Amino acid sequence: MTLAAFFFYFFAATALLAGVNVVLQKKTVNSAFSLIVCLCAVAMLYVQLDATFIAIIQIIIYAGAIMVLFLFVIMLLGRGPESLPSSLNTGYVAVPLGILLAVLIGQAAARYQSTTPAESAAPSSISAIGSELFSNYVLPFEATSILILVAVLGAVILAKKNP
Amino acid sequence: MIPLQHYLIVAAALFAIGTIGVLVKRNIITMFMCIELMLNAVNLTFIAFARYWGRIEGQIFVFFVMAVAAAEAAVGLAIIVAIYRNRETLNVDDANSMKW
């Protein structure tokens, strides 16, 4: 097994186990920390796919900013273990359905035949992303700023004391 | 080099785990985190295809997905705080009636 294959399987297994742990943990805080592990493992897969910039912003924005926001809310509203009775009932239906979903998508993915050679190197540097972002995708990029402005206003209004 | 299919299968498994989590968990914050897990699985698919087709557009899309996810997390957590303030619960089964 080559080094690249070892790293792929190691981080893929880490991501999947951490993902399962997110669902299995009873305490919300433990789920959040598991999710951080999962996000970092997926970021390492991004590094393997030559998407270093995306890997960095995955760690900074997702594992950093978003998950810290989650942890703030979890600790602000801090409750004990969640009540389980209703979740067990749905589990009997949801788990087989979810496994069926994974098998169906996985089977479709396994049958996929790539038409282009895998060796074609992607232009993945930050400058390539930046020039693409500010030439072909400048309108979505500017729309994103409006979206975030609206999200900030919405969050302030929703979380206000007496709406 | 790792075949593209392996990345797609990992992403499919992550997406299914997120789906199971949304269906099984009753805590609204945990359900929200499982949605983030599903978003992440789709991002992995985007990056894998971008690498194997030698295109940059997949990474641009992931960039936008992350921006939308950040906005979604801010608004969603504000809604969770508002629900908790009104109903004193995080269980979605206790918040199944709308105002009107």
Side-chain angles (χ1 to χ4, degrees):
Chain A
M1 197 191 315
T2 62
L3 196 62
F6 171 75
F7 275 117
F8 169 76
Y9 289 115
F10 177 74
F11 286 119
T14 309
L16 289 177
L17 288 177
V20 170
N21 203 30
V22 171
V23 181
L24 288 183
Q25 286 292 331
K26 297 237 187 331
K27 281 192 163 181
T28 322
V29 182
N30 297 352
S31 292
F33 280 114
S34 275
L35 187 57
I36 292 175
V37 172
C38 180
L39 294 174
C40 289
V42 172
M44 291 304 118
L45 292 182
Y46 292 168
V47 171
Q48 264 205 321
L49 288 165
D50 293 337
T52 43
F53 175 64
I54 300 293
I56 290 168
I57 64 170
Q58 164 102 353
I59 290 178
I60 293 177
I61 295 180
Y62 249 118
I66 295 182
M67 289 316 294
V68 166
L69 201 60
F70 268 95
L71 285 171
F72 262 121
V73 172
I74 290 168
M75 290 175 182
L76 189 70
L77 308 182
R79 306 291 283 178
E82 64 177 52
S83 55
L84 271 181
S86 59
S87 62
L88 276 178
N89 293 334
T90 49
Y92 291 128
V93 185
V95 173
L97 277 181
I99 292 171
L100 182 69
L101 178 70
V103 168
L104 286 178
I105 304 177
Q107 202 188 22
R111 273 189 301 166
Y112 174 79
Q113 296 294 328
S114 182
T115 49
T116 48
E119 282 76 24
S120 59
S124 64
S125 63
I126 298 178
S127 62
I129 294 177
S131 60
E132 187 78 10
L133 208 54
F134 285 103
S135 59
N136 290 335
Y137 293 91
V138 68
L139 192 65
F141 185 72
E142 296 298 335
T144 306
S145 64
I146 299 173
L147 171 78
I148 291 177
L149 180 67
V150 172
V152 168
L153 292 177
V156 169
I157 290 170
L158 278 171
K160 217 162 54 175
K161 201 72 183 172
N162 291 314
Chain B
M1 196 159 177
I2 316 291
L4 172 62
Q5 285 87 346
H6 292 197
Y7 285 102
L8 298 183
I9 289 169
V10 170
L14 270 180
F15 190 88
I17 291 168
T19 314
I20 293 174
V22 170
L23 294 175
V24 169
K25 302 299 267 189
R26 295 293 94 189
N27 187 319
I28 191 166
I29 297 178
T30 318
M31 289 173 75
F32 204 32
M33 286 194 285
C34 291
I35 293 173
E36 299 289 334
L37 201 59
M38 291 158 78
L39 278 175
N40 221 50
V42 176
N43 281 353
L44 183 59
T45 312
F46 265 125
I47 298 281
F49 272 116
R51 173 68 188 83
Y52 280 82
W53 284 355
R55 306 287 296 270
I56 198 88
E57 283 85 353
Q59 299 190 21
I60 307 276
F61 260 89
V62 171
F63 185 78
F64 285 125
V65 169
M66 281 184 183
V68 172
E72 172 226 346
V75 176
L77 288 171
I79 291 174
I80 290 173
V81 170
I83 288 176
Y84 185 76
R85 189 173 288 146
N86 283 333
R87 312 201 183 213
E88 293 286 315
T89 181
L90 288 177
N91 191 335
V92 281
D93 290 335
D94 294 340
N96 56 1
S97 63
M98 300 186 102
K99 192 172 180 181
W100 302 108

